[in-house]
Amino acid sequence: MNHRISVGALVLRNERLLLVHRFVPGEHDYWVPPGGGVEDDEELEAAVARETFEETRIVVRAKRLAYIDELIDSGGRMVKFWFVAEYLSGEIDTGANPAGEECISSAGWFAQNALPSGHVFPAILRAEFWEHQKEGFDHVRRLPLRTSVF
């Protein structure tokens, strides 16, 4: 079984969460915070900043590990580290992503009561995330092992 290490950036700006829309007709259609695979000897926090910038042109700094997520799919097993990240600068631009196969069609900032309809990943972004944010992410939470829907 193949294994992959991945990161995700939970970036809030003015009480709105940064999400990217990954869309390929007939294949996948979901919203997710920016993120992706860790490269070679890259530190997790550096991967958070790089992936966010590549996918959105938003500059962030990883501040705190919030969640550890484990997924299994046809490609193997992935462990994803979700970091709370501080917005530093930039405006959304999804047109310059060097990994075109990721199929990011758009991105935006979303308030809890205005999240996109359809699939938002991970599911905790619909409710629990906002409570954890109010609590200040006082400890790392482990999400249950599950099969990926992608």
Side-chain angles (χ1 to χ4, degrees):
M1 174 180 281
N2 291 324
H3 291 79
R4 181 173 184 223
I5 298 172
S6 181
V7 296
L10 303 166
V11 186
L12 287 168
R13 182 179 182 196
N14 300 323
E15 303 293 321
R16 298 183 188 298
L17 179 65
L18 179 61
L19 297 175
V20 298
H21 187 200
R22 296 182 187 267
F23 179 71
V24 175
E27 287 187 41
H28 54 261
D29 180 2
Y30 62 96
W31 291 86
V32 63
V38 176
E39 296 179 352
D40 304 319
D41 63 350
E42 186 176 41
E43 292 185 3
L44 297 175
E45 293 85 354
V48 168
R50 178 186 51 77
E51 284 287 343
T52 303
F53 186 76
E54 285 178 359
E55 293 181 2
T56 67
R57 289 303 185 245
I58 299 293
V59 178
V60 302
R61 179 176 55 92
K63 291 182 68 172
R64 165 177 303 143
L65 180 60
Y67 305 105
I68 299 173
D69 200 2
E70 295 181 87
L71 302 159
I72 295 177
D73 63 18
S74 60
R77 184 175 185 143
M78 177 174 61
V79 177
K80 189 164 192 111
F81 297 92
W82 293 100
F83 282 83
V84 173
E86 177 184 11
Y87 168 85
L88 298 176
S89 66
E91 297 301 326
I92 294 172
D93 176 2
T94 59
N97 187 355
E101 70 277 2
E102 290 181 344
C103 303
I104 296 173
S105 62
S106 62
W109 297 98
F110 297 91
Q112 179 182 9
N113 62 356
L115 289 172
S117 61
H119 188 70
V120 175
F121 172 81
I124 58 165
L125 296 178
R126 292 263 180 220
E128 296 98 323
F129 164 78
W130 302 92
E131 291 302 316
H132 300 157
Q133 189 267 334
K134 287 178 188 171
E135 296 167 1
F137 295 100
D138 56 349
H139 65 280
V140 177
R141 291 171 171 85
R142 188 163 175 256
L143 303 180
L145 174 66
R146 64 190 184 282
T147 301
S148 175
V149 297
F150 315 117

